[in-house]
């Protein structure tokens, strides 16, 4: 049994994001005749976008595992509905059978059922942001609801990641205000489609720096995400097994 600790901030080092920024800036497509086209906007391809999101999954999982007493971080078995017999945080496709549908999350803590689930979402170019951000919000609400319907005490957390050069000012305000409303679930009796914690990450591909939202949008700043999760977890699970 582990002693609960303070949850450290969820953080990704700028050097790691800078490496991905170099990949993002070098994007090129190919025309139908196979020639390189320089008209493609800076972006990731599908596989790169998935791998890029994993650095936030790992950062979240490591921070959560520290709070839970420095327990192990492991990769879940495919389609397994429970962890492999250990008090651990799983990072990777983690299967949860929710009230709406089965859903794979990017990380989870489920010692006796899901107590914390997490997903990261990336929109990686201006076209994708303009076309897909509202659909992404629908996905977040659905993922939160499918867990909360069956497991109302579960803490649902999301990180939404976009590159700064691809984000228009009007989109920034619209997305931030929507995520602020969606991440406002304060107790187990609140609405199912809301999440307990959401962070909006706007990153600079040139420097790897993440924009500080703590002044304008403190509730969805990455720097405050750990505080939201820790407060909710202590309220719902402190003094309960497997914690001392």
């Amino acid at each position: 049994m582990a002693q609960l600790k303070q949850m450290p901030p969820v953080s990704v080092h700028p050097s790691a994001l800078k490496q991905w920024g170099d990949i993002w800036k070098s994007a090129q497509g190919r025309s139908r005749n196979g020639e390189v086209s320089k008209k493609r906007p800076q972006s990731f391809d599908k596989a790169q976008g998935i791998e890029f999101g994993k650095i936030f999954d790992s950062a979240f999982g490591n921070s959560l595992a520290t709070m839970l007493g420095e327990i192990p971080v492991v990769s879940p078995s495919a389609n397994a509905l429970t962890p492999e017999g250990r008090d651990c945080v799983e990072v990777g496709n983690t299967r949860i059978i929710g009230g709406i549908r089965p859903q794979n999350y990017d990380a989870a803590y489920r010692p006796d059922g899901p107590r914390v689930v997490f997903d990261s979402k990336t929109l990686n170019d201006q076209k994708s942001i303009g076309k897909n951000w509202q659909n992404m919000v629908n996905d977040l609400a659905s993922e939160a609801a499918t867990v909360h319907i069956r497991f109302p005490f579960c803490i649902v957390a999301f990180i939404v990641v976009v590159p700064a050069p691809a984000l228009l000012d009007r989109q920034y305000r619209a997305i931030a205000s929507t995520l602020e409303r969606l991440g406002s679930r304060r107790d187990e009796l609140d609405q199912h489609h809301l999440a307990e914690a959401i962070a909006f990450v706007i990153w600079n591909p040139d420097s790897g720096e993440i924009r500080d939202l703590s002044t304008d949008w403190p509730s969805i700043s990455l720097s405050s995400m750990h505080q939201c999760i820790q407060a909710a977890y202590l309220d719902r699970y402190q003094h309960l097994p497997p914690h001392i």
Side-chain angles (χ1 to χ4, degrees), residues 54-116:
K54 288 181 180 178
I55 64 174
F56 292 92
D57 304 342
S58 294
F60 179 87
N62 291 333
S63 180
L64 180 63
T66 298
M67 182 192 79
L68 296 170
E70 298 182 348
I71 62 175
V73 176
V74 304
S75 297
S77 299
N79 296 322
L81 300 181
T82 58
E84 294 184 347
R86 289 180 289 178
D87 187 24
C88 61
V89 171
E90 297 166 287
V91 175
N93 286 336
T94 309
R95 191 80 162 165
I96 305 294
I97 305 301
I100 299 173
R101 64 173 188 267
Q103 178 71 43
N104 286 336
Y105 294 86
D106 293 323
Y109 179 57
R110 47 180 185 167
D112 54 351
R115 293 191 182 189
V116 182

Side-chain angles (χ1 to χ4, degrees), residues 111-139:
D112 54 351
R115 293 191 182 189
V116 182
V117 298
F118 165 84
D119 235 1
S120 63
K121 304 290 184 183
T122 64
L123 298 172
N124 296 311
D125 60 63
Q126 191 173 98
K127 181 179 179 180
S128 177
I129 294 172
K131 182 180 179 181
N132 296 321
W133 80 264
Q134 290 179 325
N135 290 334
M136 177 203 67
V137 168
N138 290 339
D139 290 342

Side-chain angles (χ1 to χ4, degrees), residues 160-164 167 172 200-204 209-213:
V160 175
V161 188
V162 301
L167 183 66
Y172 165 57
F200 187 25
V201 172
I202 304 168
W203 66 288
N204 186 328
E209 298 290 338
I210 292 174
R211 185 183 298 180
D212 182 10
L213 302 185

